[in-house]
Amino acid sequence: MIETFLELFMNALPLILVYSIPTYFIIIYFSFTFWGVSIKDKWKKILLFATLESIYIGLFIFDLPLYLHLINGIISYFILFFLVFYSLNTIYKIIIPSFAYITAMFLEGISGSVIFLFIPREQFINSVMNMLYITVFITTIMILLNYLMNRKKWFPGKDLIETIKKNKKITLLVCILSIQFLMTALIMSIGYFGSFHNLSKIIYILLFLMIFISLIIMILTFNTIKQSKNEAIRMTQQFYIEDVNRMFTSIRGQRHDFLNHVQVIHGFVKYKKYNQLEEYTKELTEEISEVNEILQIGHPAIAALIQSKMIISLDKKVKFKYEVSGLDGLSLGITSIDIVKILGNLIDNAIDEVNNFPLEKRWINLKVTTENGKLYIITKNPCSIKIQNTKNDLFTSGYSTKEKDLHEGIGLAIVKDRVDYYKGQIKILTSLNNEIEFRVELPLKV
């Protein structure tokens, strides 16, 4: 039995050393990089996995029928990966080996199909040097892709996971493309390496084109996802920067006007107009206090946003009151970008609504606070009867109660989407006094 084992091992050793170990190692390495998982402390485990799996598969490669070889290879591959990388997150223990397996079949299918056009299949399988061609091809492609991903700090799989969590349609698309990849590569592998099934060169060329087109579709999909994400971030950051600039402009304006204020105060004192002096300094103090209160808000994005909305409210003669507490030194699990989206759209919606009322009814109350591990955002303002009757439709994208809506009826839909993303809650309350209140509840730790 030992002699038989040694004979099998010696027969498979050239294939194991030249093809299996290098291929397993570089593809698993690539898969870790693709999904954004650090490999600094994992390369030894990757080498161990590649060696053990190569030896195990190599012992049976010449004795098992093709279909049993494929089944045996898949089962041992995933079991061994789970054992070697037992400390890895469960989701990564599934997607990393799956992606690596599909990638390996894809590259083997392409390289085998191209070589098949020049070298007969029987001659290719029986030659270790010919197997080296595939190893060199796969290794070169993987090293190049690894280098590009690390240099650009772009890990498509990591971005894809975040996108999948937000969009179920993307999940379906990725699954369909993955299945198409797997099936096409499987057909090519069986057709090339299976002695029982012969495919003509024309079919191989067609399959090669099919899998190449699938690859292009996947690349375009990833690029579209990345561009959409970057565009959303760019637009929100631009909005955030504008708010910050408005706040700084207001502060610079106060400093610029300081000399004018001193001259006015000096004039009142010189001519002993103390009543006017008291009234003037009272107004000046209120203005300075407003800016100081904003600067004391513990979250820069919220401070900038409130300053911006105060300026807009003053311009539209809306009385805007706010109360922000509990944010000092607090690290929110919600990104500043999403805070701006939620809070900004709620305030914009309130300003648009009260702008239709007489001056004495143009008011907005905002409250932002934290309690019991949750962030609460509450806006309250007057509303029309139409709003009260259609409040269940307010979160529908494109729905608007205004004839000419500058926000195109998507503001509250964005709020609902972001709240749902963080597994929060949003409620709409109306009263007999024709007032509407939005209550947002978000977990501080996500």
Side-chain angles (χ1 to χ4, degrees):
M1 182 175 179
I2 297 177
E3 292 179 356
T4 303
F5 175 82
L6 290 175
E7 184 180 355
L8 290 173
F9 179 76
M10 293 306 296
N11 290 336
L13 186 60
L15 183 64
I16 292 172
L17 294 177
V18 172
Y19 175 74
S20 298
I21 293 179
T23 302
Y24 275 120
F25 179 83
I26 193 65
I27 289 181
I28 293 293
Y29 191 99
F30 165 77
S31 189
F32 270 93
T33 305
F34 182 90
W35 294 101
V37 179
S38 174
I39 52 173
K40 291 182 180 179
D41 57 341
K42 297 182 178 66
W43 70 269
K44 291 182 180 179
K45 288 187 176 182
I46 296 174
L47 181 60
L48 175 63
F49 169 81
T51 303
L52 293 177
E53 179 67 8
S54 298
I55 293 174
Y56 177 77
I57 294 299
L59 293 176
F60 302 101
I61 192 170
F62 297 111
D63 295 330
L64 288 178
L66 179 62
Y67 72 95
L68 287 179
H69 175 68
L70 290 174
I71 295 173
N72 178 55
I74 293 173
I75 294 174
S76 63
Y77 174 83
F78 282 96
I79 290 177
L80 186 59
F81 190 91
F82 268 69
L83 291 175
V84 173
F85 299 97
Y86 64 91
S87 60
L88 201 62
N89 187 287
T90 302
I91 188 172
Y92 288 118
K93 281 194 286 191
I94 296 173
I95 61 175
I96 288 178
S98 299
F99 179 75
Y101 195 85
I102 293 173
T103 303
M105 294 190 70
F106 168 63
L107 292 174
E108 285 179 359
I110 288 182
S111 55
S113 300
V114 173
I115 293 173
F116 174 67
L117 297 175
F118 305 97
I119 303 175
R121 181 176 53 196
E122 290 75 14
Q123 179 182 340
F124 175 75
I125 293 177
N126 294 325
S127 172
V128 175
M129 284 302 299
N130 289 333
M131 296 299 292
L132 184 61
Y133 297 151
I134 293 185
T135 304
V136 171
F137 173 77
I138 293 176
T139 302
T140 303
I141 296 295
M142 293 293 97
I143 290 176
L144 179 61
L145 291 176
N146 269 290
Y147 171 76
L148 292 175
M149 286 190 293
N150 284 307
R151 182 177 180 181
K152 294 181 177 293
K153 302 297 181 184
W154 178 53
F155 310 108
K158 189 175 182 180
D159 294 338
L160 184 60
I161 289 177
E162 294 178 2
T163 306
I164 285 174
K165 291 179 180 178
K166 304 174 188 177
N167 195 325
K168 294 181 179 179
K169 292 182 179 180
I170 295 294
T171 307
L172 180 62
L173 175 62
V174 171
C175 289
I176 291 174
L177 287 173
S178 299
I179 292 171
Q180 182 183 3
F181 250 163
L182 183 61
M183 292 180 64
T184 307
L186 184 61
I187 292 172
M188 296 178 74
S189 297
I190 292 175
Y192 190 83
F193 295 104
S195 58
F196 62 87
H197 187 68
N198 292 309
L199 296 176
S200 67
K201 292 183 180 181
I202 295 177
I203 294 179
Y204 267 106
I205 294 173
L206 292 176
L207 287 173
F208 174 80
L209 291 175
M210 182 190 301
I211 206 166
F212 180 74
I213 292 171
S214 299
L215 177 62
I216 297 299
I217 293 173
M218 289 200 74
I219 292 174
L220 292 175
T221 301
F222 285 134
N223 285 337
T224 302
I225 292 171
K226 185 180 180 182
Q227 289 173 4
S228 299
K229 181 179 178 181
N230 290 341
E231 180 64 17
I233 293 174
R234 186 193 65 79
M235 291 178 65
T236 308
Q237 285 179 337
Q238 181 179 356
F239 177 68
Y240 175 53
I241 290 170
E242 289 175 357
D243 290 341
V244 174
N245 287 336
R246 288 193 188 101
M247 183 175 68
F248 286 148
T249 299
S250 177
I251 295 172
R252 284 196 299 267
Q254 284 192 358
R255 290 185 176 180
H256 180 267
D257 293 336
F258 178 75
L259 180 59
N260 294 331
H261 294 315
V262 171
Q263 289 174 343
V264 172
I265 292 171
H266 175 72
F268 284 137
V269 173
K270 181 178 180 180
Y271 295 105
K272 299 181 180 180
K273 295 185 178 182
Y274 300 119
N275 292 334
Q276 291 90 334
L277 173 62
E278 182 180 1
E279 185 65 27
Y280 184 80
T281 54
K282 180 181 178 182
E283 293 177 359
L284 183 60
T285 302
E286 287 177 354
E287 182 182 346
I288 295 173
S289 296
E290 286 181 355
V291 175
N292 288 338
E293 287 174 4
I294 291 173
L295 293 176
Q296 290 173 5
I297 293 175
H299 195 286
I302 294 177
L305 182 66
I306 289 177
Q307 171 66 15
S308 170
K309 299 309 177 187
M310 284 187 65
I311 294 172
I312 295 173
S313 298
L314 287 172
D315 183 59
K316 295 189 176 184
K317 295 179 173 58
V318 176
K319 190 175 182 180
F320 181 36
K321 291 184 177 181
Y322 68 90
E323 179 185 345
V324 181
S325 62
L327 299 182
D328 293 336
L330 191 65
S331 178
L332 302 181
I334 309 161
T335 65
S336 296
I337 289 175
D338 284 335
I339 285 286
V340 169
K341 285 183 180 180
I342 294 170
L343 193 55
N345 279 299
L346 285 174
I347 298 173
D348 285 341
N349 180 73
I351 292 174
D352 288 341
E353 179 62 22
V354 301
N355 201 41
N356 298 318
F357 286 82
L359 293 180
E360 65 273 11
K361 291 187 177 181
R362 293 185 185 180
W363 58 267
I364 298 171
N365 290 340
L366 168 68
K367 184 176 181 180
V368 182
T369 186
T370 58
E371 185 178 347
N372 298 327
K374 293 183 179 180
L375 174 69
Y376 294 92
I377 300 173
I378 302 171
T379 62
K380 188 175 183 180
N381 57 271
C383 70
S384 63
I385 297 177
K386 184 178 181 181
I387 290 287
Q388 295 190 54
N389 295 334
T390 60
K391 65 179 183 179
N392 293 330
D393 299 321
L394 293 178
F395 295 125
T396 303
S397 181
Y399 177 81
S400 175
T401 59
K402 295 173 277 293
E403 294 181 1
K404 295 181 180 179
D405 184 24
L406 295 176
H407 301 284
E408 300 177 354
I410 62 173
L412 291 178
I414 292 173
V415 173
K416 184 68 165 61
D417 175 72
R418 293 294 81 199
V419 171
D420 289 344
Y421 174 75
Y422 290 102
K423 296 180 173 59
Q425 295 181 359
I426 182 168
K427 297 178 182 178
I428 303 178
L429 304 176
T430 55
S431 67
L432 297 176
N433 297 327
N434 293 333
E435 295 175 357
I436 188 167
E437 183 175 301
F438 287 87
R439 288 178 170 266
V440 175
E441 179 183 313
L442 296 165
L444 288 177
K445 293 183 179 180
V446 181

